[in-house]
Amino acid sequence: MTKTLYIPVMGGLCSGKSSAVNYVREHFPSSTAFNEYAGEVLARHALENGLSGSKSNQVVQEIVQGTYERLEQIAAGSLGETVVEESGLIGALAHLITDEKYGLFARYFPLMEGLLARVSAVPIFVDVPPPVAWERRKERYLAQTRRLIVQEGGDEEIIMEALRTRMQGVYENVHALFEAFPCRKIRIQNIADKEEFLQEVDQTFKYLLGEQ
């Protein structure tokens, strides 16, 4: 039985993962492309519970369990011969390394390794240095922070610094897991304009899917 080609598109916050996966979905219909499971969960809980609702243990559990279940389906071959996934369980776990009070990383990492052994994995790391990503995302974070302060109070400078620090930490954690993958890996830089980035995404997937 041929293993599923599994391509998790990894990277830090505001790296261009969503743009890459959306491009693949539009231009490579032979593959099945999924956006980050966490995005759906966080958006729903933010709407239900306000801006701080996405921080609960329940939400974190839901993100990791749902992402794991999707990887189970991918490993079983039920989602197609080629699956492209934004972040994937690896990315979700990397985001949670700094939240080990939940104990999820230690629980799920061995399970993930078992599932990855059943697929042909080629992770892609979309590399954007945290200072560049911060400048891209800063205005959005500032608007969110000001809305949060209106609702719940807090200090703008402290909250923004915490977000900047977390962005740095997420990048380091995702990159460390990417480097630890015992398989072929691909790195794509995204520090130029978007058109140039998507051209590199296009060439990379043509190569991976044998369309050159």
Side-chain angles (χ1 to χ4, degrees):
M1 179 179 173
T2 303
K3 290 183 176 181
T4 297
L5 175 59
Y6 175 53
I7 308 172
V9 180
M10 304 166 64
L13 300 169
C14 199
S15 60
K17 301 185 300 294
S18 296
S19 295
V21 170
N22 291 338
Y23 182 90
V24 170
R25 180 183 295 110
E26 181 178 353
H27 293 89
F28 296 90
S30 63
S31 65
T32 304
F34 292 101
N35 287 104
E36 193 168 12
Y37 185 82
E40 305 169 17
V41 178
L42 290 172
R44 182 173 70 255
H45 281 275
L47 288 173
E48 291 173 354
N49 304 321
L51 288 170
S52 63
S54 62
K55 301 182 185 300
S56 70
N57 187 10
Q58 172 195 346
V59 175
V60 173
Q61 293 272 3
E62 185 177 343
I63 289 170
V64 177
Q65 181 61 30
T67 310
Y68 175 75
E69 290 172 357
R70 181 188 284 173
L71 183 54
E72 280 189 311
Q73 292 180 289
I74 293 169
S78 59
L79 296 180
E81 296 180 359
T82 301
V83 178
V84 181
E85 184 179 32
E86 180 184 352
S87 280
L89 186 59
I90 304 95
L93 288 171
H95 283 65
L96 295 170
I97 290 175
T98 54
D99 299 322
E100 264 309 273
K101 61 184 177 182
Y102 298 124
L104 294 173
F105 189 83
R107 187 190 319 167
Y108 278 91
F109 191 74
L111 298 173
M112 180 188 72
E113 288 185 308
L115 291 177
L116 290 176
R118 294 163 51 194
V119 301
S120 178
V122 184
I124 293 175
F125 186 76
V126 182
D127 199 350
V128 178
V132 175
W134 177 252
E135 289 302 317
R136 293 176 178 176
R137 183 61 65 86
K138 185 167 63 175
E139 291 304 316
R140 185 190 303 181
Y141 279 159
L142 184 59
Q144 292 173 341
T145 296
R146 287 173 175 170
R147 290 199 300 271
L148 179 63
I149 290 171
V150 168
Q151 292 183 11
E152 302 180 10
D155 182 277
E156 180 179 303
E157 186 174 339
I158 292 174
I159 295 172
M160 289 292 286
E161 178 58 23
L163 290 169
R164 189 197 65 76
T165 300
R166 181 165 181 79
M167 177 174 278
Q168 176 72 37
V170 167
Y171 174 88
E172 292 172 358
N173 293 334
V174 175
H175 185 262
L177 284 180
F178 170 79
E179 290 293 339
F181 256 94
C183 62
R184 180 171 50 141
K185 300 181 281 280
I186 295 173
R187 185 187 305 269
I188 298 177
Q189 298 284 342
N190 183 17
I191 55 176
D193 61 47
K194 186 173 182 179
E195 182 177 350
E196 184 176 329
F197 167 61
L198 292 179
Q199 286 177 352
E200 188 168 358
V201 170
D202 185 84
Q203 290 301 309
T204 297
F205 276 88
K206 283 179 177 175
Y207 166 72
L208 288 174
L209 303 182
E211 296 186 13
Q212 283 186 320

